[in-house]
Amino acid sequence: MSDAAQPTAAEVRAAAEAVKTALDRHLAAVERRSGEDDPAVYEAFNQLAAAAEVYDELLYDRYDEVTPFEIPGTEDSLPPYAGPEEPNAISVLIRRDYAVAEPQRLLAQAQRVEAAEYDDGPGADQDAAGTIHGALGILFGEFEPDEIASRHKEFGLEEGDSTLWVTAADEQTEPGEWLETPFEGVDPERVVCRFDVSAVFDDEDSEDTEDTVDTDEADDDLDLDEDEDLEPLDAER
C-alpha cells in the first residue's frame, strides 16, 4: 500500500476510541441482560466485533501491527430466538456427510440386499447394484438414515461433518408443501437448537472417538470375496 493510501495516525486512534466505546456498551448490555438471548447483548456484541475489525485493519495498514484479540465471525452464529414461545409444530433439518471409503464393500452390501429381495437371483435392478450411485440408492432406500449412521462402516462409508437443526413453527405445513425445496427458507430466528459434529472440534470426546475408530479399523481389514467378512444384513423391512 502506498503512503498516500495509508490511514492517518488520527484515524487509527479514532478507531481505538471506537473500540473502547463499544467495549463499554457491551459490558453495560451484559450487566443489564434480561435473559440468555437478550437482543441488546447480541447487538452490542456485533458492534464490538465491527469496531475491533476496523481498528485491527487500520492498525495493520498504518503500523504493520495486529491486535491479540480474535472475535468469532458473527455470520456463523445464530441470532437470538424470536419464534413462538409455545411452538405448535417443529421441523428437524439434518445433514450428514460421508465419504465412500470402501466402494467394493458398498457394492457388495447393495448386491446382498438385492439378492435377499429376489428368490430367483438378482432382479430388475441388477445393474443399479453394480454402480456406486445405484448402490447408494438401494441402501438408503432399504435402511433408515439413523441406522446407516450407526452402521456406516458396514456400508463402506466414512463419517464427515453433520448437523441437526430444530426449528419452530406456528402450525404444521400442508402435505407436500415444501417437498420441492425442503432446505430453503429456514428462518435463523426460529431455530430452537442445533447440534454440530465435526473433526474440527478438538475436545476430549472427539479424541476418544478417534481412538475407538482406529481400533475398529485395525480389526476391519476385509476380504470382500469371503461372505463371513460382511456383517449380516436384515433386508426384510
Short mmCIF file of all heavy atoms in Angstrom, two decimals, residues 142-194:
data_model
loop_
_atom_site.label_atom_id
_atom_site.label_comp_id
_atom_site.label_asym_id
_atom_site.label_seq_id
_atom_site.Cartn_x
_atom_site.Cartn_y
_atom_site.Cartn_z
N GLU A 142 -33.35 -48.87 1.53
CA GLU A 142 -33.65 -50.05 2.35
C GLU A 142 -33.54 -49.76 3.85
O GLU A 142 -34.32 -50.27 4.65
CB GLU A 142 -32.68 -51.18 1.99
CG GLU A 142 -32.90 -52.47 2.74
CD GLU A 142 -34.22 -53.15 2.36
OE1 GLU A 142 -34.72 -52.90 1.26
OE2 GLU A 142 -34.74 -53.90 3.20
N PHE A 143 -32.56 -48.94 4.24
CA PHE A 143 -32.30 -48.70 5.65
C PHE A 143 -32.62 -47.25 6.02
O PHE A 143 -32.44 -46.33 5.22
CB PHE A 143 -30.83 -48.99 5.99
CG PHE A 143 -30.42 -50.41 5.71
CD1 PHE A 143 -29.77 -50.74 4.52
CD2 PHE A 143 -30.70 -51.43 6.61
CE1 PHE A 143 -29.40 -52.05 4.27
CE2 PHE A 143 -30.34 -52.72 6.36
CZ PHE A 143 -29.69 -53.05 5.18
N GLU A 144 -33.07 -47.06 7.25
CA GLU A 144 -33.32 -45.72 7.77
C GLU A 144 -32.00 -44.96 7.90
O GLU A 144 -30.95 -45.56 8.20
CB GLU A 144 -34.00 -45.80 9.14
CG GLU A 144 -35.40 -46.39 9.11
CD GLU A 144 -36.39 -45.47 8.43
OE1 GLU A 144 -36.14 -44.25 8.41
OE2 GLU A 144 -37.39 -45.98 7.89
N PRO A 145 -32.02 -43.62 7.70
CA PRO A 145 -30.79 -42.83 7.82
C PRO A 145 -30.08 -43.00 9.16
O PRO A 145 -28.85 -43.03 9.22
CB PRO A 145 -31.27 -41.39 7.63
CG PRO A 145 -32.51 -41.52 6.81
CD PRO A 145 -33.16 -42.80 7.25
N ASP A 146 -30.86 -43.14 10.25
CA ASP A 146 -30.23 -43.32 11.56
C ASP A 146 -29.51 -44.66 11.64
O ASP A 146 -28.46 -44.78 12.30
CB ASP A 146 -31.27 -43.22 12.68
CG ASP A 146 -31.74 -41.80 12.90
OD1 ASP A 146 -31.06 -40.87 12.42
OD2 ASP A 146 -32.80 -41.61 13.53
N GLU A 147 -30.05 -45.69 11.00
CA GLU A 147 -29.39 -46.99 11.01
C GLU A 147 -28.11 -46.95 10.19
O GLU A 147 -27.09 -47.52 10.58
CB GLU A 147 -30.32 -48.07 10.48
CG GLU A 147 -29.73 -49.47 10.57
CD GLU A 147 -30.71 -50.57 10.25
OE1 GLU A 147 -31.88 -50.26 9.94
OE2 GLU A 147 -30.31 -51.75 10.34
N ILE A 148 -28.15 -46.26 9.06
CA ILE A 148 -26.93 -46.12 8.26
C ILE A 148 -25.88 -45.34 9.05
O ILE A 148 -24.69 -45.65 9.00
CB ILE A 148 -27.25 -45.44 6.93
CG1 ILE A 148 -28.04 -46.41 6.04
CG2 ILE A 148 -25.97 -44.99 6.22
CD1 ILE A 148 -28.41 -45.85 4.68
N ALA A 149 -26.33 -44.32 9.79
CA ALA A 149 -25.38 -43.54 10.59
C ALA A 149 -24.69 -44.41 11.64
O ALA A 149 -23.49 -44.25 11.90
CB ALA A 149 -26.09 -42.37 11.26
N SER A 150 -25.43 -45.33 12.24
CA SER A 150 -24.85 -46.17 13.29
C SER A 150 -24.06 -47.35 12.71
O SER A 150 -23.22 -47.92 13.40
CB SER A 150 -25.96 -46.69 14.21
OG SER A 150 -26.85 -47.54 13.50
N ARG A 151 -24.32 -47.70 11.44
CA ARG A 151 -23.64 -48.85 10.83
C ARG A 151 -22.86 -48.46 9.60
O ARG A 151 -22.60 -49.28 8.72
CB ARG A 151 -24.70 -49.91 10.46
CG ARG A 151 -25.53 -50.41 11.62
CD ARG A 151 -26.66 -51.31 11.14
NE ARG A 151 -26.16 -52.49 10.43
CZ ARG A 151 -26.96 -53.37 9.83
NH1 ARG A 151 -28.27 -53.20 9.84
NH2 ARG A 151 -26.44 -54.42 9.21
N HIS A 152 -22.45 -47.19 9.52
CA HIS A 152 -21.86 -46.68 8.28
C HIS A 152 -20.63 -47.46 7.82
O HIS A 152 -20.41 -47.63 6.63
CB HIS A 152 -21.51 -45.19 8.44
CG HIS A 152 -20.49 -44.92 9.51
ND1 HIS A 152 -20.81 -44.82 10.84
CD2 HIS A 152 -19.15 -44.74 9.43
CE1 HIS A 152 -19.72 -44.57 11.54
NE2 HIS A 152 -18.69 -44.53 10.72
N LYS A 153 -19.83 -47.96 8.77
CA LYS A 153 -18.63 -48.70 8.39
C LYS A 153 -18.97 -49.99 7.67
O LYS A 153 -18.23 -50.43 6.79
CB LYS A 153 -17.77 -48.98 9.61
CG LYS A 153 -17.13 -47.72 10.21
CD LYS A 153 -16.22 -48.06 11.37
CE LYS A 153 -15.04 -48.88 10.88
NZ LYS A 153 -14.12 -49.22 11.98
N GLU A 154 -20.11 -50.59 8.02
CA GLU A 154 -20.53 -51.81 7.34
C GLU A 154 -20.84 -51.56 5.88
O GLU A 154 -20.74 -52.46 5.05
CB GLU A 154 -21.77 -52.38 8.03
CG GLU A 154 -21.56 -52.80 9.46
CD GLU A 154 -22.85 -53.29 10.08
OE1 GLU A 154 -23.71 -53.79 9.32
OE2 GLU A 154 -23.01 -53.16 11.30
N PHE A 155 -21.22 -50.33 5.57
CA PHE A 155 -21.59 -49.98 4.21
C PHE A 155 -20.45 -49.31 3.45
O PHE A 155 -20.65 -48.75 2.37
CB PHE A 155 -22.81 -49.06 4.21
CG PHE A 155 -23.99 -49.65 4.93
CD1 PHE A 155 -24.54 -49.03 6.04
CD2 PHE A 155 -24.56 -50.83 4.50
CE1 PHE A 155 -25.62 -49.57 6.70
CE2 PHE A 155 -25.65 -51.38 5.16
CZ PHE A 155 -26.18 -50.75 6.26
N GLY A 156 -19.23 -49.35 4.01
CA GLY A 156 -18.09 -48.77 3.32
C GLY A 156 -18.05 -47.26 3.34
O GLY A 156 -17.40 -46.64 2.50
N LEU A 157 -18.72 -46.64 4.31
CA LEU A 157 -18.78 -45.19 4.39
C LEU A 157 -17.95 -44.68 5.56
O LEU A 157 -17.78 -45.36 6.56
CB LEU A 157 -20.23 -44.72 4.55
CG LEU A 157 -21.21 -45.15 3.45
CD1 LEU A 157 -22.63 -44.71 3.81
CD2 LEU A 157 -20.79 -44.59 2.11
N GLU A 158 -17.47 -43.46 5.41
CA GLU A 158 -16.69 -42.81 6.47
C GLU A 158 -17.38 -41.51 6.84
O GLU A 158 -17.69 -40.69 5.97
CB GLU A 158 -15.27 -42.55 5.99
CG GLU A 158 -14.37 -41.89 7.02
CD GLU A 158 -12.96 -41.66 6.47
OE1 GLU A 158 -12.31 -42.65 6.09
OE2 GLU A 158 -12.54 -40.49 6.40
N GLU A 159 -17.62 -41.31 8.12
CA GLU A 159 -18.35 -40.13 8.57
C GLU A 159 -17.59 -38.84 8.33
O GLU A 159 -16.38 -38.77 8.53
CB GLU A 159 -18.67 -40.24 10.06
CG GLU A 159 -19.80 -41.18 10.39
CD GLU A 159 -20.12 -41.16 11.87
OE1 GLU A 159 -19.16 -41.19 12.67
OE2 GLU A 159 -21.30 -41.12 12.23
N GLY A 160 -18.32 -37.80 7.93
CA GLY A 160 -17.79 -36.44 7.85
C GLY A 160 -18.54 -35.55 8.83
O GLY A 160 -19.00 -36.01 9.88
N ASP A 161 -18.70 -34.29 8.49
CA ASP A 161 -19.43 -33.37 9.35
C ASP A 161 -20.92 -33.71 9.33
O ASP A 161 -21.45 -34.26 8.36
CB ASP A 161 -19.25 -31.94 8.87
CG ASP A 161 -17.85 -31.41 9.14
OD1 ASP A 161 -17.07 -32.13 9.78
OD2 ASP A 161 -17.55 -30.30 8.69
N SER A 162 -21.60 -33.35 10.42
CA SER A 162 -23.05 -33.49 10.47
C SER A 162 -23.63 -32.37 11.32
O SER A 162 -22.96 -31.82 12.19
CB SER A 162 -23.46 -34.85 11.04
OG SER A 162 -23.10 -34.95 12.41
N THR A 163 -24.89 -32.03 11.03
CA THR A 163 -25.56 -31.00 11.81
C THR A 163 -27.05 -31.32 11.88
O THR A 163 -27.60 -31.94 10.96
CB THR A 163 -25.35 -29.59 11.20
OG1 THR A 163 -25.90 -28.61 12.08
CG2 THR A 163 -25.99 -29.47 9.84
N LEU A 164 -27.67 -30.91 12.97
CA LEU A 164 -29.10 -31.10 13.16
C LEU A 164 -29.68 -29.80 13.70
O LEU A 164 -29.19 -29.27 14.69
CB LEU A 164 -29.37 -32.25 14.14
CG LEU A 164 -30.84 -32.60 14.42
CD1 LEU A 164 -30.97 -34.08 14.74
CD2 LEU A 164 -31.40 -31.78 15.60
N TRP A 165 -30.68 -29.29 13.00
CA TRP A 165 -31.35 -28.06 13.42
C TRP A 165 -32.80 -28.37 13.75
O TRP A 165 -33.48 -29.07 13.00
CB TRP A 165 -31.32 -27.00 12.31
CG TRP A 165 -29.97 -26.45 11.98
CD1 TRP A 165 -28.77 -27.09 12.08
CD2 TRP A 165 -29.68 -25.14 11.48
NE1 TRP A 165 -27.76 -26.26 11.67
CE2 TRP A 165 -28.29 -25.06 11.30
CE3 TRP A 165 -30.47 -24.05 11.18
CZ2 TRP A 165 -27.67 -23.92 10.82
CZ3 TRP A 165 -29.86 -22.90 10.69
CH2 TRP A 165 -28.47 -22.83 10.52
N VAL A 166 -33.28 -27.83 14.86
CA VAL A 166 -34.69 -27.92 15.23
C VAL A 166 -35.28 -26.52 15.13
O VAL A 166 -34.84 -25.61 15.82
CB VAL A 166 -34.88 -28.48 16.65
CG1 VAL A 166 -36.36 -28.54 17.01
CG2 VAL A 166 -34.24 -29.85 16.78
N THR A 167 -36.25 -26.35 14.23
CA THR A 167 -36.86 -25.03 14.03
C THR A 167 -38.33 -25.08 14.46
O THR A 167 -39.00 -26.09 14.31
CB THR A 167 -36.77 -24.60 12.55
OG1 THR A 167 -37.54 -25.50 11.74
CG2 THR A 167 -35.34 -24.61 12.07
N ALA A 168 -38.80 -23.96 14.99
CA ALA A 168 -40.17 -23.87 15.49
C ALA A 168 -41.09 -23.29 14.43
O ALA A 168 -40.70 -22.48 13.60
CB ALA A 168 -40.21 -23.00 16.75
N ALA A 169 -42.35 -23.72 14.45
CA ALA A 169 -43.35 -23.24 13.52
C ALA A 169 -44.66 -22.98 14.26
O ALA A 169 -44.92 -23.58 15.30
CB ALA A 169 -43.58 -24.24 12.39
N ASP A 170 -45.47 -22.06 13.71
CA ASP A 170 -46.77 -21.77 14.32
C ASP A 170 -47.75 -22.91 14.09
O ASP A 170 -48.59 -23.20 14.94
CB ASP A 170 -47.33 -20.47 13.75
CG ASP A 170 -46.46 -19.27 14.12
OD1 ASP A 170 -46.11 -19.13 15.30
OD2 ASP A 170 -46.12 -18.49 13.21
N GLU A 171 -47.64 -23.55 12.93
CA GLU A 171 -48.51 -24.67 12.62
C GLU A 171 -47.83 -25.58 11.61
O GLU A 171 -46.90 -25.17 10.91
CB GLU A 171 -49.85 -24.18 12.06
CG GLU A 171 -49.72 -23.34 10.81
CD GLU A 171 -51.06 -22.77 10.36
OE1 GLU A 171 -51.99 -22.73 11.16
OE2 GLU A 171 -51.14 -22.36 9.19
N GLN A 172 -48.29 -26.80 11.54
CA GLN A 172 -47.70 -27.77 10.62
C GLN A 172 -48.04 -27.40 9.18
O GLN A 172 -49.14 -26.92 8.89
CB GLN A 172 -48.22 -29.17 10.94
CG GLN A 172 -47.49 -30.28 10.19
CD GLN A 172 -47.92 -31.65 10.67
OE1 GLN A 172 -48.80 -31.76 11.52
NE2 GLN A 172 -47.31 -32.69 10.15
N THR A 173 -47.07 -27.61 8.28
CA THR A 173 -47.29 -27.27 6.89
C THR A 173 -48.23 -28.27 6.23
O THR A 173 -48.42 -29.39 6.70
CB THR A 173 -45.95 -27.24 6.12
OG1 THR A 173 -45.33 -28.53 6.25
CG2 THR A 173 -45.04 -26.18 6.68
N GLU A 174 -48.78 -27.86 5.09
CA GLU A 174 -49.68 -28.74 4.34
C GLU A 174 -48.86 -29.86 3.70
O GLU A 174 -47.69 -29.67 3.33
CB GLU A 174 -50.40 -27.95 3.25
CG GLU A 174 -51.37 -26.89 3.78
CD GLU A 174 -52.52 -27.51 4.54
OE1 GLU A 174 -52.94 -28.62 4.18
OE2 GLU A 174 -53.00 -26.88 5.52
N PRO A 175 -49.46 -31.05 3.54
CA PRO A 175 -48.74 -32.16 2.91
C PRO A 175 -48.22 -31.78 1.52
O PRO A 175 -48.94 -31.23 0.70
CB PRO A 175 -49.82 -33.25 2.81
CG PRO A 175 -50.79 -32.93 3.90
CD PRO A 175 -50.81 -31.43 3.98
N GLY A 176 -46.93 -32.05 1.31
CA GLY A 176 -46.30 -31.78 0.01
C GLY A 176 -45.90 -30.34 -0.22
O GLY A 176 -45.36 -30.02 -1.27
N GLU A 177 -46.13 -29.46 0.77
CA GLU A 177 -45.92 -28.03 0.55
C GLU A 177 -44.45 -27.67 0.28
O GLU A 177 -44.16 -26.84 -0.57
CB GLU A 177 -46.44 -27.25 1.76
CG GLU A 177 -46.30 -25.74 1.63
CD GLU A 177 -46.91 -25.00 2.82
OE1 GLU A 177 -47.75 -25.61 3.53
OE2 GLU A 177 -46.56 -23.84 3.04
N TRP A 178 -43.53 -28.32 1.01
CA TRP A 178 -42.13 -27.91 0.89
C TRP A 178 -41.24 -28.97 0.23
O TRP A 178 -40.01 -28.84 0.21
CB TRP A 178 -41.55 -27.57 2.26
CG TRP A 178 -41.80 -28.59 3.34
CD1 TRP A 178 -42.74 -28.51 4.31
CD2 TRP A 178 -41.13 -29.84 3.55
NE1 TRP A 178 -42.68 -29.62 5.12
CE2 TRP A 178 -41.70 -30.45 4.68
CE3 TRP A 178 -40.08 -30.50 2.91
CZ2 TRP A 178 -41.28 -31.68 5.17
CZ3 TRP A 178 -39.66 -31.73 3.39
CH2 TRP A 178 -40.26 -32.32 4.50
N LEU A 179 -41.82 -30.00 -0.33
CA LEU A 179 -41.02 -31.13 -0.82
C LEU A 179 -40.08 -30.75 -1.96
O LEU A 179 -38.99 -31.33 -2.10
CB LEU A 179 -41.94 -32.28 -1.26
CG LEU A 179 -42.69 -32.99 -0.13
CD1 LEU A 179 -43.57 -34.09 -0.68
CD2 LEU A 179 -41.70 -33.57 0.89
N GLU A 180 -40.47 -29.78 -2.79
CA GLU A 180 -39.62 -29.41 -3.92
C GLU A 180 -38.34 -28.69 -3.45
O GLU A 180 -37.28 -28.84 -4.07
CB GLU A 180 -40.39 -28.52 -4.89
CG GLU A 180 -41.50 -29.25 -5.64
CD GLU A 180 -42.13 -28.37 -6.70
OE1 GLU A 180 -41.69 -27.20 -6.84
OE2 GLU A 180 -43.06 -28.84 -7.38
N THR A 181 -38.42 -27.91 -2.38
CA THR A 181 -37.25 -27.20 -1.85
C THR A 181 -37.24 -27.36 -0.33
O THR A 181 -37.54 -26.42 0.41
CB THR A 181 -37.30 -25.70 -2.21
OG1 THR A 181 -38.57 -25.15 -1.77
CG2 THR A 181 -37.17 -25.50 -3.71
N PRO A 182 -36.89 -28.54 0.16
CA PRO A 182 -37.04 -28.83 1.59
C PRO A 182 -36.09 -28.06 2.51
O PRO A 182 -36.38 -27.91 3.69
CB PRO A 182 -36.76 -30.34 1.67
CG PRO A 182 -35.92 -30.63 0.47
CD PRO A 182 -36.40 -29.70 -0.59
N PHE A 183 -34.95 -27.56 1.98
CA PHE A 183 -33.97 -26.93 2.85
C PHE A 183 -33.84 -25.43 2.62
O PHE A 183 -32.90 -24.80 3.07
CB PHE A 183 -32.60 -27.60 2.67
CG PHE A 183 -32.63 -29.07 2.96
CD1 PHE A 183 -32.47 -30.00 1.95
CD2 PHE A 183 -32.84 -29.53 4.25
CE1 PHE A 183 -32.51 -31.36 2.21
CE2 PHE A 183 -32.88 -30.88 4.52
CZ PHE A 183 -32.73 -31.80 3.50
N GLU A 184 -34.78 -24.85 1.90
CA GLU A 184 -34.75 -23.42 1.66
C GLU A 184 -35.69 -22.69 2.62
O GLU A 184 -36.64 -23.26 3.15
CB GLU A 184 -35.14 -23.10 0.21
CG GLU A 184 -34.11 -23.54 -0.81
CD GLU A 184 -34.47 -23.09 -2.21
OE1 GLU A 184 -35.51 -22.41 -2.36
OE2 GLU A 184 -33.72 -23.41 -3.15
N GLY A 185 -35.42 -21.41 2.81
CA GLY A 185 -36.32 -20.58 3.58
C GLY A 185 -36.30 -20.81 5.08
O GLY A 185 -37.28 -20.52 5.76
N VAL A 186 -35.19 -21.32 5.62
CA VAL A 186 -35.10 -21.52 7.07
C VAL A 186 -34.84 -20.18 7.75
O VAL A 186 -33.89 -19.48 7.41
CB VAL A 186 -33.98 -22.52 7.42
CG1 VAL A 186 -33.88 -22.69 8.93
CG2 VAL A 186 -34.24 -23.85 6.74
N ASP A 187 -35.68 -19.82 8.69
CA ASP A 187 -35.53 -18.57 9.44
C ASP A 187 -34.60 -18.82 10.63
O ASP A 187 -34.97 -19.53 11.56
CB ASP A 187 -36.90 -18.10 9.92
CG ASP A 187 -36.83 -16.73 10.59
OD1 ASP A 187 -35.71 -16.23 10.80
OD2 ASP A 187 -37.89 -16.18 10.91
N PRO A 188 -33.40 -18.23 10.63
CA PRO A 188 -32.46 -18.46 11.74
C PRO A 188 -33.03 -18.07 13.09
O PRO A 188 -32.64 -18.63 14.11
CB PRO A 188 -31.25 -17.59 11.38
CG PRO A 188 -31.35 -17.38 9.90
CD PRO A 188 -32.82 -17.35 9.60
N GLU A 189 -33.94 -17.12 13.12
CA GLU A 189 -34.51 -16.68 14.39
C GLU A 189 -35.53 -17.67 14.95
O GLU A 189 -36.02 -17.49 16.07
CB GLU A 189 -35.16 -15.30 14.22
CG GLU A 189 -34.15 -14.19 13.94
CD GLU A 189 -34.79 -12.82 13.97
OE1 GLU A 189 -36.04 -12.75 14.00
OE2 GLU A 189 -34.05 -11.82 13.99
N ARG A 190 -35.87 -18.71 14.17
CA ARG A 190 -36.79 -19.73 14.66
C ARG A 190 -36.09 -21.04 14.98
O ARG A 190 -36.74 -22.06 15.22
CB ARG A 190 -37.91 -19.97 13.64
CG ARG A 190 -38.93 -18.84 13.62
CD ARG A 190 -40.05 -19.09 12.63
NE ARG A 190 -41.10 -18.09 12.80
CZ ARG A 190 -42.32 -18.34 13.27
NH1 ARG A 190 -42.65 -19.57 13.61
NH2 ARG A 190 -43.22 -17.39 13.39
N VAL A 191 -34.77 -21.03 14.96
CA VAL A 191 -34.00 -22.23 15.31
C VAL A 191 -34.00 -22.38 16.83
O VAL A 191 -33.45 -21.55 17.55
CB VAL A 191 -32.56 -22.16 14.77
CG1 VAL A 191 -31.77 -23.36 15.24
CG2 VAL A 191 -32.58 -22.09 13.25
N VAL A 192 -34.64 -23.43 17.31
CA VAL A 192 -34.72 -23.67 18.75
C VAL A 192 -33.37 -24.14 19.28
O VAL A 192 -32.90 -23.69 20.33
CB VAL A 192 -35.80 -24.72 19.06
CG1 VAL A 192 -35.85 -25.02 20.55
CG2 VAL A 192 -37.16 -24.25 18.56
N CYS A 193 -32.73 -25.06 18.57
CA CYS A 193 -31.43 -25.56 18.98
C CYS A 193 -30.77 -26.21 17.78
O CYS A 193 -31.43 -26.54 16.79
CB CYS A 193 -31.54 -26.56 20.13
SG CYS A 193 -32.62 -27.98 19.77
N ARG A 194 -29.46 -26.39 17.85
CA ARG A 194 -28.72 -27.07 16.79
C ARG A 194 -27.58 -27.86 17.43
O ARG A 194 -27.07 -27.50 18.48
CB ARG A 194 -28.18 -26.09 15.76
CG ARG A 194 -27.20 -25.06 16.30
CD ARG A 194 -26.65 -24.15 15.20
NE ARG A 194 -25.76 -24.88 14.31
CZ ARG A 194 -25.15 -24.30 13.28
NH1 ARG A 194 -25.34 -23.02 13.01
NH2 ARG A 194 -24.33 -25.01 12.51
#
